[in-house]
Amino acid sequence: MPATAAVDGRVSVALCTYNGAVFLEEQLASMLAQTVLPGQIVVSDDGSTDGTSAIVERFAAESSVPVRLLRNPRPLGVTKNFEGAIRATTGSLIVLSDQDDVWRPDRVERASAAFDARPELQMVCSDARLVGADGASLGTTLFASLSIGPHERDGIRAGDAFGVLLRRNLVTGATAMLRREVFDAAVPFPAPWVHDEWLAIVAASRGPIELLDEPLVDYRQHGANQIGIVEPTLAYKISRLMQPGRQRNRDIADRVAGLASWLDTLEPAPLADRSAVDAKSAFERFRADLPPARWRRILPVLLRAPRGEYQRYASQGALDIVRDLLQPA
């Protein structure tokens, strides 16, 4: 721990673990190496059998930052485990953490400074350096792997994070800090959503999100990640074109319909474009209901394409036109 490190009592860490003994100690050490320390660390373990809990107990006994260990009596899965971990925190700013990453020493300082500079911010997320199991750089970053384009960055920075995230999720929880009010609005996390996707869209419905282009986290890719990153190579994109996608479109439509129902419960009305939510859901149902025979898809897809819905609502834009024409039913 830096000898002169300040403590930001507003900041709580929500760290979820599951059989993470191989990398966990390095991650915990990076939390105590922060230039600004968090005021609390909550670790929620989802039934580990490899000594993860013992590592946390040893760390808690030596840590200058208060540590609380939760043990789930039965495995909850990633999303519900994060819900429980965040619920147990007390800070007004919550940092999400995976068990196998490493934080840059100024991660907490940079993220909390962004909230200080812009009180209206609901969430801050950063880029990350992708590293292998040994911690060596893989030569790329998280934002590059997600192919985040200038138009998406510009949209988020112009205050349209909700519209950008409605098209596709760009937020990786391991790089995120959020206001407690976002969590309070988001619980309980709905089953069809992954925790970071849901927290991001809820945050964007309430106000602005900030993307920090700095890689404040080493995001480890080691083959056993519960949620990881796939490099968007040309071969990968082509393989996705040929994968059946109708059920995926139905699932997205159902998730967005759930988002619409959630928005309708809010008082006062959120900042989100409610009509765009309905349009996104209808568009995904159109895609899910395309005929099995490829030749019968040509006319409905080509009639739909000029409306601009593929650019506004499809995760891959114009590439999804090709996908809808070619992929198996």
Side-chain angles (χ1 to χ4, degrees), residues 8 27 42 52 71 85 93 142 162 183 213 244 283 292 317 325 327:
D8 190 336
Q27 170 65 306
V42 172
T52 292
R71 293 183 177 88
L93 296 174
L142 176 62
F162 187 85
F183 173 74
D213 285 322
F283 173 67
L325 291 172
Q327 70 181 178

Side-chain angles (χ1 to χ4, degrees), residues 160-297:
D160 187 30
F162 187 85
V164 173
L165 298 180
L166 187 62
R167 177 174 177 259
R168 70 177 183 121
N169 179 56
L170 300 177
V171 172
T172 300
T175 74
M177 179 185 281
L178 59 134
R179 292 197 184 277
R180 172 159 295 280
E181 291 83 359
V182 172
F183 173 74
D184 292 341
V187 288
F189 295 173
W193 291 78
V194 179
H195 66 283
D196 50 8
E197 292 180 309
W198 179 244
L199 287 168
I201 201 73
V202 169
S205 76
R206 296 172 52 84
I209 287 175
E210 184 163 328
L211 296 181
L212 299 177
D213 285 322
E214 302 166 75
L216 299 181
V217 174
D218 278 359
Y219 190 41
R220 201 187 304 262
Q221 306 298 294
H222 51 78
N225 303 73
Q226 291 190 295
I227 300 175
I229 292 294
V230 178
E231 186 178 357
T233 62
L234 179 59
Y236 172 71
K237 291 180 179 180
I238 292 173
S239 71
R240 287 192 65 189
L241 288 179
M242 301 313 296
Q243 293 173 356
R246 300 294 174 255
Q247 187 57 52
R248 174 179 176 273
N249 296 129
R250 290 187 188 93
D251 292 343
I252 293 174
D254 289 343
R255 289 196 313 166
V256 176
L259 171 63
S261 297
W262 175 80
L263 290 169
D264 289 341
T265 67
L266 301 184
E267 293 290 345
L271 302 176
D273 184 348
R274 181 64 172 74
S275 62
V277 177
D278 291 335
K280 165 76 170 180
S281 182
F283 173 67
E284 294 295 347
R285 292 200 186 282
F286 157 77
R287 298 181 69 194
D289 292 338
L290 284 168
R294 290 187 177 94
W295 67 271
R296 294 185 60 196
R297 304 176 204 164

Side-chain angles (χ1 to χ4, degrees), residues 49-71:
T49 58
D50 68 343
T52 292
S53 294
I55 291 173
V56 177
E57 288 170 348
R58 289 196 300 271
F59 173 77
E62 301 171 357
S63 173
S64 60
V65 175
V67 179
R68 181 180 178 187
L69 172 61
L70 309 176
R71 293 183 177 88

